[in-house]
Amino acid sequence: AEEGNRLFRAARSHANLVVIDAMAEMVAEGQKARRLNDSLDPFTTAAAMIAMIEHLLPYQESLQRRGANKPTLQQTIAIILY
């Protein structure tokens, strides 16, 4: 079981790094366009965005019970990320 957990974590970390690297590029582009503050570190900002998404997803059902439908959740995340 321990080996499986290690392999899973390694695969998940690799998959996340692909997304984080792409998001870090988006942050850097936002900084160049003056949409984002230059004090932000692109990689750290991207990692924080991924963490935010990962922590929000388990609450999707609870949010929907409070009236937030899937398009609303998607739009909210998109606005925060962009």
Side-chain angles (χ1 to χ4, degrees):
E2 181 62 33
E3 179 65 24
N5 288 339
R6 244 183 299 163
L7 291 174
F8 174 77
R9 282 194 309 269
R12 183 173 181 224
S13 292
H14 177 72
N16 277 345
L17 280 176
V18 171
V19 176
I20 291 170
D21 285 341
M23 291 177 96
E25 287 180 29
M26 292 172 62
V27 171
E29 290 170 9
Q31 288 171 320
K32 288 177 191 170
R34 304 234 184 254
R35 288 191 319 269
L36 295 174
N37 193 299
D38 287 338
S39 68
L40 294 172
D41 175 70
F43 185 84
T44 304
T45 304
M49 290 188 292
I50 290 295
M52 180 180 62
I53 292 169
E54 285 181 340
H55 283 85
L56 183 61
L57 290 178
Y59 295 100
Q60 186 173 2
E61 190 175 301
S62 174
L63 292 168
Q64 288 175 343
R65 282 195 305 267
R66 294 177 177 258
N69 59 26
K70 189 172 183 175
T72 300
L73 185 57
Q74 290 171 334
Q75 181 182 14
T76 301
I77 292 172
I79 289 170
I80 291 170
L81 295 180
Y82 188 73

